[in-house]
């Protein structure tokens, strides 16, 4: 279960790097802003600073999940690194999961995006907790 948890943490991190790229790098491209429900190019330009900032939040969560999974995978016998790793995995993936919940509560039209954003961190957290409980 540990490997499965770490696998899903890495997938969650990869998805959040992709989201970072859309929000902080390609936000003003029509294919990107339309995906986020922005109505016009002018609206995309207006919201660009907000999206840029939000993208970096996603990147930082991804980095935390990557580092945490790396600590757990590379130093399972080192109690300090393993504890730090699990702390990062649970904190970052838990934050991703809670953000997906907030997105789902925003409206029905966001349920698919919320499920996409929340599935992998949910699996990382649940499988990690189960592995540590054994």
């Amino acid at each position: 279960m540990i490997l499965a948890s770490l696998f899903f943490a890495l997938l969650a991190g990869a998805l959040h790097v992709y989201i970072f790229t859309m929000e902080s790098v390609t936000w003003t491209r029509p294919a990107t802003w339309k995906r986020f429900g922005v109505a016009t190019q002018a609206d995309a330009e207006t919201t660009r600073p907000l999206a840029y900032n939000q993208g970096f939040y996603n990147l930082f969560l991804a980095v935390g999940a990557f580092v945490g999974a790396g600590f757990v995978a590379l130093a399972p016998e080192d109690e300090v690194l393993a504890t730090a790793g699990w702390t990062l995995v649970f904190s970052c993936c838990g934050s991703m999961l809670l953000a997906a919940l907030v997105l789902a509560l925003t409206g029905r039209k966001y349920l698919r995006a919320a499920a996409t954003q929340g599935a992998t961190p949910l699996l990382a957290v649940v499988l990690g907790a189960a592995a540590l409980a054994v």
Side-chain angles (χ1 to χ4, degrees):
M1 274 194 278
I2 290 174
L3 287 179
S5 174
L6 299 181
F7 173 75
F8 285 113
L10 293 172
L11 280 180
L15 175 61
H16 280 72
V17 168
Y18 176 65
I19 295 168
F20 156 76
T21 302
M22 288 188 294
E23 291 176 337
S24 295
V25 179
T26 66
W27 183 255
T28 55
R29 293 182 189 165
T32 300
W33 55 259
K34 287 178 183 177
R35 176 175 287 200
F36 283 86
V38 176
T40 66
Q41 183 71 40
D43 288 344
E45 294 295 339
T46 300
T47 58
R48 185 177 183 195
L50 296 172
Y52 183 79
N53 187 332
Q54 183 67 30
F56 274 91
Y57 275 97
N58 284 301
L59 179 63
F60 300 146
L61 289 174
V63 169
F66 292 150
V67 171
F71 282 177
V72 173
L74 298 175
E77 303 302 321
D78 185 331
E79 194 172 314
V80 173
L81 278 181
T83 299
W86 282 117
T87 300
L88 284 167
V89 168
F90 289 136
S91 176
C92 292
C93 288
S95 293
M96 292 173 190
L97 181 56
L98 291 172
L101 178 63
V102 170
L103 183 59
L105 294 173
T106 302
R108 293 180 70 79
K109 70 180 185 176
Y110 298 107
L111 290 178
R112 181 173 180 219
T116 300
Q117 179 180 330
T120 52
L122 172 64
L123 290 167
V125 168
V126 169
L127 292 171
L132 293 177
V134 175

